[in-house]
């Protein structure tokens, strides 16, 4: 209810989670992310592309939510970027990895709702090299912000706010799963 009461305050123009994080879909996400079953990535990317087409956003550049520092070293891969790579290589979608960065190494999934809402602001920022591009007008007018799982929406909201502060006019969030 709190999210509905805050409606209109969001930097996101829209948010589209494809599936609920329940039952077999929760198991699928766990198998893919936690057990490192990368063979599922092409299937999940196909689901994302189908959603992009249905939303009329298949030609809109993607901005993947950046991983926490150390995640790639620890897990060996970044799931969101892998999806973005597949969409870029197989579907020709432009991907902007040069806009956002994540500064904190803490895991959002280990935080409670209020902690997530408060922490996201300190965790994400614009990449320093990207700030220079804002001066020459190299900012896309519209982007799709891509993440794997949305829980409170704090990550999407903060990233959308940063993108709009950089000059992006429209930010649509897209995620594979929604918790809750």
């Amino acid at each position: 209810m709190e999210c509905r009461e805050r409606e209109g305050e969001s930097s996101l123009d829209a948010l589209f989670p494809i599936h609920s994080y329940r039952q077999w879909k929760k198991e699928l996400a766990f198998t893919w992310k936690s057990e490192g079953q990368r063979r599922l990535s092409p299937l999940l990317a196909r689901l994302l592309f189908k959603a992009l087409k249905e939303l009329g956003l298949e030609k809109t550049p993607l901005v993947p939510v950046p991983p926490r520092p150390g995640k790639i070293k620890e897990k060996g891969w970044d799931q969101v970027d892998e999806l973005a790579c597949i969409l870029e290589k197989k579907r020709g979608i432009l991907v902007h990895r040069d806009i956002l960065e994540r500064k904190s190494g803490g895991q959002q999934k280990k935080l409670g709702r209020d902690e997530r809402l408060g922490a996201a602001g300190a965790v994400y920022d614009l990449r320093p090299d990207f700030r220079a591009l804002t001066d020459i007008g190299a900012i896309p007018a519209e982007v799709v912000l891509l993440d794997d799982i949305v829980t409170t929406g704090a990550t999407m909201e903060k990233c959308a706010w940063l993108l709009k502060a950089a000059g992006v006019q429209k930010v649509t969030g897209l995620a594979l799963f929604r918790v809750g």
Side-chain angles (χ1 to χ4, degrees):
M1 292 305 290
E2 183 180 326
C3 292
R4 289 182 186 154
E5 291 170 8
R6 290 186 301 132
E7 199 168 329
E9 294 178 33
S10 179
S11 294
L12 281 166
D13 293 285
L15 175 58
F16 298 100
I18 299 174
H19 297 284
S20 293
Y21 188 70
R22 310 189 161 117
Q23 300 170 343
W24 66 269
K25 293 173 187 175
K26 184 176 181 178
E27 289 179 38
L28 174 70
F30 180 83
T31 300
W32 174 60
K33 286 185 66 160
S34 299
E35 294 179 0
Q37 296 298 320
R38 297 175 77 165
R39 69 180 186 271
L40 294 169
S41 296
L43 168 69
L44 297 172
R46 197 173 320 131
L47 293 172
L48 287 169
F49 186 71
K50 181 181 178 194
L52 287 168
K53 279 186 77 167
E54 289 174 3
L55 295 167
L57 296 170
E58 69 273 16
K59 297 194 183 313
T60 305
L62 292 179
V63 176
V65 171
R68 64 183 161 77
K71 178 181 181 178
I72 296 170
K73 187 175 183 179
E74 176 187 315
K75 297 276 188 182
W77 65 309
D78 172 15
Q79 297 87 358
V80 176
D81 190 58
E82 183 155 292
L83 295 171
C85 281
I86 292 168
L87 291 168
E88 185 176 43
K89 290 177 184 170
K90 302 257 183 195
R91 305 296 182 163
I93 295 177
L94 178 63
V95 177
H96 286 286
R97 293 176 185 84
D98 56 350
I99 299 177
L100 299 173
E101 69 178 346
R102 182 162 173 183
K103 294 182 170 195
S104 166
Q107 293 183 0
Q108 291 282 87
K109 69 181 179 183
K110 293 186 177 181
L111 301 177
R113 183 181 189 285
D114 291 337
E115 292 171 308
R116 284 178 191 232
L117 293 171
V123 173
Y124 296 95
D125 203 354
L126 294 173
R127 292 175 56 99
D129 50 339
F130 183 75
R131 290 180 188 272
L133 294 178
T134 61
D135 296 336
I136 60 171
I139 309 300
E142 180 178 1
V143 300
V144 173
L145 184 60
L146 180 65
D147 207 353
D148 54 356
I149 299 175
V150 174
T151 304
T152 63
T155 296
M156 285 277 195
E157 176 58 34
K158 175 58 180 183
C159 290
W161 184 87
L162 288 166
L163 291 165
K164 289 216 171 162
V168 176
Q169 296 167 12
K170 184 175 180 184
V171 179
T172 302
L174 181 63
L176 283 170
F177 303 99
R178 175 186 50 85
V179 176

